Amino acid sequence: MSAYLPPRRLILLVDDDRLLLDYLKTVLDHSGYETMTAESAAEALQRVAEREADIALALLDISMPGMSGLDLARRLKEHTSVAFMFLSSVDDAETARQAASHGAVGFVVKPVDAARLLPAFESALARADEIRRLRRTEANLNAALAAGRETSLAVGLLMARYQTDRNTAFEVLRDHARSSRRKVNEVAEQLVAAEELLNSLHGAFAGRLKAK
């Protein structure tokens, strides 16, 4: 039986210099990564649209004709989940500051050689993975908090309607969810929505009666 081999991480390389792109692709391919290339920001956006979920990291040249790497980074940050690092021919504090302010997870200066590229690249990839993990944790936490709020509201409604304590109200809600093979927060959402609808209808009836 052959040993399991994890899928290769997909890297998007973006630069208007075809020779440099070929060099970067060769280095990363030989280092165990899968790569795809783009020679402009527009082409990069097309690549992202096709395979956003698969891209582990994008390496962007800062200076490109048309849309710059900085502008491309802004688009990626605002509209996608793709992490990115920058490639620049300028090594100064202002360029590094701009890269950081745009949310880059790494920075590489031209001319590029494998000895410098791979460590910087691996460090950026590790940071990108950590950011993705934190985003997933935050999303899960927000979902749990939202579900908790709905459940708390539903328990409060049951307590008020049936003049019971919190534990009894929650147990009734939980038992109903189990008997209907649904999640507690799903039943809670339905109960809260029904209560909001009843309150809305009550207000409409009251308005009509008052008009008469």
Side-chain angles (χ1 to χ4, degrees):
M1 180 180 294
S2 61
Y4 169 74
L5 294 176
R8 300 202 304 169
R9 310 295 298 277
L10 176 61
I11 311 303
L12 173 60
L13 305 171
V14 187
D15 198 300
D16 60 314
D17 184 338
R18 184 70 248 179
L19 290 177
L20 179 56
L21 271 185
D22 290 341
Y23 171 75
L24 293 171
K25 178 176 176 59
T26 298
V27 170
L28 293 175
D29 285 348
H30 287 173
S31 299
Y33 296 98
E34 178 187 356
T35 57
M36 61 181 180
T37 62
E39 294 184 52
S40 68
E43 186 179 358
L45 290 173
Q46 180 61 39
R47 296 282 185 271
V48 171
E50 294 167 354
R51 299 190 63 182
E52 177 181 348
D54 301 323
I55 299 173
L57 183 66
L59 178 61
L60 316 178
D61 182 24
I62 286 184
S63 299
M64 293 187 291
M67 185 188 300
S68 71
L70 293 174
D71 291 334
L72 173 58
R74 190 177 300 110
R75 293 277 293 273
L76 293 178
K77 184 177 180 180
E78 292 176 354
H79 303 292
T80 78
S81 60
V82 175
F84 53 87
M85 64 186 297
F86 284 122
L87 180 64
S88 175
S89 58
V90 180
D91 183 13
D92 60 23
E94 176 58 22
T95 304
R97 185 197 65 78
Q98 289 188 59
S101 69
H102 280 72
V105 295
F107 187 81
V108 177
V109 178
K110 300 177 184 178
V112 180
D113 62 80
R116 289 190 304 163
L117 173 65
L118 290 175
F121 185 82
E122 290 167 2
S123 175
L125 191 55
R127 289 187 61 193
D129 288 342
E130 178 63 14
I131 289 172
R132 273 188 286 269
R133 187 190 66 77
L134 291 173
R135 285 175 178 169
R136 284 195 299 269
T137 300
E138 182 180 4
N140 291 338
L141 177 59
N142 289 338
L145 290 174
R149 284 192 293 269
E150 294 293 334
T151 300
S152 295
L153 286 173
V155 168
L157 291 173
L158 292 174
M159 290 172 62
R161 177 163 299 217
Y162 297 105
Q163 297 299 301
T164 187
D165 61 273
R166 180 172 294 276
N167 287 340
T168 300
F170 178 75
E171 288 172 2
V172 169
L173 182 67
R174 181 194 59 196
D175 291 346
H176 179 77
R178 285 176 176 174
S179 65
S180 58
R181 297 183 178 180
R182 299 166 63 193
K183 295 180 180 179
V184 172
N185 66 291
E186 291 178 356
V187 177
E189 289 176 1
Q190 185 179 21
L191 179 59
V192 171
E195 183 70 14
E196 291 175 349
L197 177 59
L198 286 173
N199 288 338
S200 178
L201 291 174
H202 177 78
F205 276 115
R208 287 205 172 195
L209 291 174
K210 186 175 181 180
K212 292 180 179 180

